[in-house]
Amino acid sequence: MKNSAQRRPGIIASITIACQLICVILIVVILHPNPAYGGEKHMRPVYSLEGLKLDVIPKTEYRVKEDEYIHGVFPVLFDNAIGTNKIGNALSIIKFEEKWYTLVRDGLSTQVLKKDFSDFIRGSCKFRSAPSPNFITWVQTRRFFIYDLKEKTHRYHSIRSHQGGWDYILDYSAIDEQRKQFVFYIENYGAGNFLKIYNFSTDPPGESSLFDMRPGKRMKNMLEARDGKIFLYNNDEKKLEAIDTQFRADTHPIISLYNGLKDISSAFNPIKFHPTLPIALVSGETKLYLAKWGSAGHDLIPLIYFPRYARYYNFSPDGNYAVIQLAKNDVEDNPKEPQYAYVFRINPGLDYILDDPVELQSHTMQYANYLWTVNPASFVKVSYENIFRWVIDEPEESE
């Protein structure tokens, strides 16, 4: 029998080989995609946006005349501009006139698209958040306006539930814009809340029957129309649902993703769909998630920890960027509370889609409207006579 001194080199060699084998196994486990997580090869860690040392995009502040409050604004696909119906009794485009590389105050001009085609163009309104290259649409109490950007013509129509009592349009969304097909979320004081689809390609417009939003007295809210489906949120069961244009129950990958979320918020936060990619931003109680679906599988990826007041997030109209806004306290109760926004470039080649963030210079503003411009891409916040703007990308050179 060999003594311990003679056995020691063999033992050390065995331990060395075992350690090397363990290291190899760990490397394989770390790099190998986990089927339980949709086959993701890499995962961005969940992190807080607060306290990060990032590049900062400066803001430009604009002020308009006191008699030209423009809190009613909407995105348009005009270069370097936003739209409004709050200046005079007209539908107008507000253009940022300064060159993209300068920071100039009061560099605004107004282009009137059409004036005085209704007695109350500037009344209480709601616009679509997604701009269209063909139409500008908005609702006003129970009237729906369509302005054709190519033909420079307009139409408006009364939207009614025909239930008796007073109708009010809470929201609307395009189902098929080329066919001028829209769904309206109607509140009727006395009868309840309903959905109704109108087809404005005919004259008079075609109308669907009503869809009752309170079956069994369980209140549902319409979120938007997407991919030929209408998405609803069941407030009582805290579940996402979908119906088709015949108001029959339908399905979509994001429904199972959202309804399987454990980090559910006590109050529903909007789901923001990307304009072209099969992805969406979804907010839970504590985190912002990226929902993905398609042939490669479905997944819900946690991206960012949310402080308490961080509930604005959306994609740019061209789909190239996402923006997320944060505040540590309620800005309505604390008007001087600084607010922060972060912009992420969309990179479909990444598993988590959102590239590293860039910070927007902080600001204070209450009761703001959020929107984007195109060419150049810029994030804009408007509150009455104040406009803040952050230019994110260079404009394309015109030929």
Side-chain angles (χ1 to χ4, degrees):
M1 180 179 290
K2 298 179 180 179
N3 59 32
S4 58
Q6 291 174 316
R7 293 198 306 266
R8 188 174 295 117
I11 294 173
I12 293 174
S14 299
I15 293 173
T16 302
I17 293 171
C19 289
Q20 291 174 341
L21 180 61
I22 291 171
C23 289
V24 170
I25 292 172
L26 286 175
I27 291 171
V28 171
V29 169
I30 290 171
L31 295 181
H32 191 274
N34 186 346
Y37 291 92
E40 296 294 345
K41 296 180 180 178
H42 306 283
M43 180 68 72
R44 162 172 287 201
V46 176
Y47 63 89
S48 171
L49 288 171
E50 298 179 84
L52 296 179
K53 294 182 179 180
L54 305 172
D55 292 336
V56 177
I57 297 176
K59 66 176 182 286
T60 307
E61 182 177 359
Y62 305 85
R63 293 182 66 85
V64 299
K65 298 177 182 178
E66 291 186 1
D67 60 344
E68 293 186 348
Y69 289 159
I70 54 171
H71 55 285
V73 291
F74 51 92
V76 292
L77 296 183
F78 287 68
D79 288 354
N80 206 23
I82 59 177
T84 184
N85 68 337
K86 299 297 184 182
I87 299 180
N89 196 46
L91 181 63
S92 305
I93 300 300
I94 300 172
K95 191 172 181 63
F96 298 97
E97 289 292 350
E98 82 283 4
K99 294 182 180 179
W100 70 269
Y101 52 81
T102 63
L103 297 176
V104 180
R105 292 173 60 89
D106 306 322
L108 300 173
S109 67
T110 303
Q111 173 190 349
V112 175
L113 297 179
K114 197 154 191 176
K115 186 176 176 62
D116 296 330
F117 58 87
S118 174
D119 292 337
F120 300 102
I121 297 174
R122 63 181 297 168
S124 176
C125 294
K126 181 176 181 62
F127 292 88
R128 284 189 64 204
S129 59
S132 163
N134 304 309
F135 310 103
I136 293 175
T137 62
W138 69 99
V139 296
Q140 189 182 86
T141 308
R142 61 174 179 262
R143 291 197 301 173
F144 177 66
F145 289 78
I146 301 180
Y147 180 79
D148 191 309
L149 290 166
K150 296 179 179 179
E151 301 295 331
K152 300 187 181 344
T153 57
H154 75 277
R155 290 176 61 188
Y156 54 86
H157 186 78
S158 179
I159 306 298
R160 295 182 178 274
S161 67
H162 301 294
Q163 295 295 299
W166 183 264
D167 287 325
Y168 185 85
I169 303 173
L170 296 176
D171 203 355
Y172 76 108
S173 185
I175 296 175
D176 188 332
E177 190 176 80
Q178 295 298 323
R179 295 173 52 199
K180 300 182 182 178
Q181 187 181 43
F182 293 82
V183 58
F184 296 86
Y185 181 17
I186 304 169
E187 180 180 25
N188 179 274
Y189 295 105
N193 291 13
F194 304 91
L195 293 184
K196 193 171 187 179
I197 296 174
Y198 281 79
N199 187 337
F200 294 96
S201 62
T202 62
D203 192 14
E207 302 180 28
S208 72
S209 58
L210 289 178
F211 176 81
D212 191 347
M213 298 289 281
R214 291 187 178 184
K217 296 184 179 179
R218 291 186 174 184
M219 182 61 188
K220 300 179 181 181
N221 290 331
M222 185 188 83
L223 306 181
E224 68 170 291
R226 165 95 178 192
D227 301 332
K229 308 174 194 296
I230 302 166
F231 290 91
L232 312 173
Y233 183 69
N234 188 318
N235 293 274
D236 297 280
E237 298 181 5
K238 299 190 182 307
K239 288 186 176 180
L240 188 65
E241 301 174 1
I243 55 177
D244 63 17
T245 55
Q246 302 300 314
F247 300 142
R248 298 170 300 200
D250 207 338
T251 187
H252 188 278
I254 199 172
I255 293 177
S256 59
L257 290 173
Y258 180 87
N259 291 342
L261 181 64
K262 303 301 182 184
D263 183 28
I264 192 70
S265 175
S266 57
F268 179 77
N269 295 299
I271 295 172
K272 296 298 184 180
F273 290 92
H274 189 275
T276 56
L277 298 175
I279 61 173
L281 294 174
V282 176
S283 172
E285 184 69 28
T286 63
K287 304 179 189 71
L288 183 72
Y289 298 81
L290 177 76
K292 297 172 58 179
W293 59 90
S295 58
H298 312 331
D299 207 353
L300 194 63
I301 303 173
L303 290 178
I304 298 161
Y305 283 118
F306 259 167
R308 184 178 178 187
Y309 299 100
R311 287 297 181 261
Y312 178 80
Y313 44 91
N314 207 346
F315 295 102
S316 61
D318 59 11
N320 291 334
Y321 300 96
V323 67
I324 298 167
Q325 178 165 292
L326 313 176
K328 295 181 180 179
N329 297 294
D330 189 344
V331 296
E332 294 186 6
D333 296 335
N334 302 275
K336 295 185 179 181
E337 174 70 22
Q339 300 175 51
Y340 306 87
Y342 300 83
V343 171
F344 301 75
R345 184 180 290 275
I346 301 301
N347 185 347
L350 299 175
D351 290 333
Y352 43 80
I353 305 297
L354 274 63
D355 216 329
D356 292 332
V358 176
E359 185 177 344
L360 304 185
Q361 185 182 358
S362 64
H363 61 285
T364 59
M365 181 183 286
Q366 287 181 293
Y367 315 115
N369 289 292
Y370 308 87
L371 62 162
W372 291 78
T373 68
V374 296
N375 197 33
S378 66
F379 184 58
V380 180
K381 293 185 67 175
V382 179
S383 180
Y384 300 101
E385 75 274 15
N386 294 301
I387 301 176
F388 287 136
R389 180 175 180 241
W390 296 263
V391 178
I392 297 168
D393 217 346
E394 300 180 14
E396 296 179 0
E397 294 293 336
S398 57
E399 297 181 358

